[in-house]
Amino acid sequence: MVLPSATIAVHGGAGVVHAALQRHGEEAYRDALRAALAAGHAVLSANGSALDAVEAAVRELEDSPLFNAGRGSVYCDDGTHRMEASLQDGASRAAGAVIGLQSTRHPISAARAVMERTRHVALVDCDGWAAAQGLEQRPPEWFDTADRLEQLLAARRSDRLSLDHDDASASARQCGTVGAVALDRLGRLAAATSTGGMTNKMAGRVGDTPVIGAGTHACGLCALSATGKGEQFLRHAVTASIGARVACGVPLAVACDEVVHGILQPGDGGCIGIDRFGVLSMPFNTEGMFRGWLKEQEGVPHVAIWRDTKDKLLPAPRINHIGNPSLRSVAWFCMGALGAALVLSLRMRAVNR
């Protein structure tokens, strides 16, 4: 039996990313992505699980103030930070999520604790419980950053919400939701996503990140982590929609493109995905998306921001389609249904004989 090549991929948000580079520089973001890849790869190369790898990668990104997760989380309208995270194990479909955290250093680890130490999938306002589980806590001011405060004040002045990378103003310097997907040496898949939400959001607002099937999805066929305008990803159950297409036999790259470019609107965001064969797909319909990937068989980390040749290595190959994406998916589904019906018919005939 040929075992798959262990692979880790990460993202740090999608949108008008050039604004985010003006203050800290492009290399700072690339270094942060490489550090996350190294953390995940270290787990996989030691025969660790895909679940351990995505948690390790996201923890690394949560500690970077460059991204809207963990320490770099944005402010709510009441001046607090309220973080969300989720992860899912593709092998067992077990999942965990947290909503409204204000002091837990690594929300992604709290989400995993929910998955493994409770009978539930999601908990709200559970910093106290997380602390009781031994997860590190930090005072609220530890999550404060000057750039995020500036972003909040700008949003208040204009009476608006600020999404990840949604404009080119100074308020969008830092971004964005973070996530990881992985395939381990045993063929297991996992996905994880973490965010601070949107600047000036109502305290209590829930985005797509902690919702399994919207911001995070993993099964035996593929794993996905999304980033962008949460309400849109919730309305269209983005990661579950992609996963359903893959389950019907649609190749991962095609499924991702159909949803990101055929259902979502330009500027909504993007996602990263990996299938059970180690094929990666990282589509986005914005100016750019912070992303990176590392395949064990290559041993070289790749990071990218833009969609053109400035990155030297482009995202997974795109497939040019003709026709309506929705009709194509219906066709794939119908073909699968007809095949299943044919098999059932043949079995019934054999029984009747």
Side-chain angles (χ1 to χ4, degrees), residues 1 28 38 45 55 72 84 142 158 163 175 182 198 200 229 245 252 325 328 334 347-348:
M1 178 180 178
S45 62
E55 181 186 6
E84 305 169 342
W142 188 80
S158 59
L163 300 168
C175 42
M198 61 172 68
N200 204 31
K229 298 180 179 179
R245 284 166 165 78
L252 177 66
R328 285 196 306 275
C334 290
R347 287 181 177 177
M348 291 181 67

Side-chain angles (χ1 to χ4, degrees), residues 134-149:
L135 298 182
E136 183 178 359
Q137 303 295 301
R138 292 286 179 145
E141 57 269 20
W142 188 80
F143 300 93
D144 293 343
T145 61
D147 282 353
R148 290 308 190 191
L149 181 57

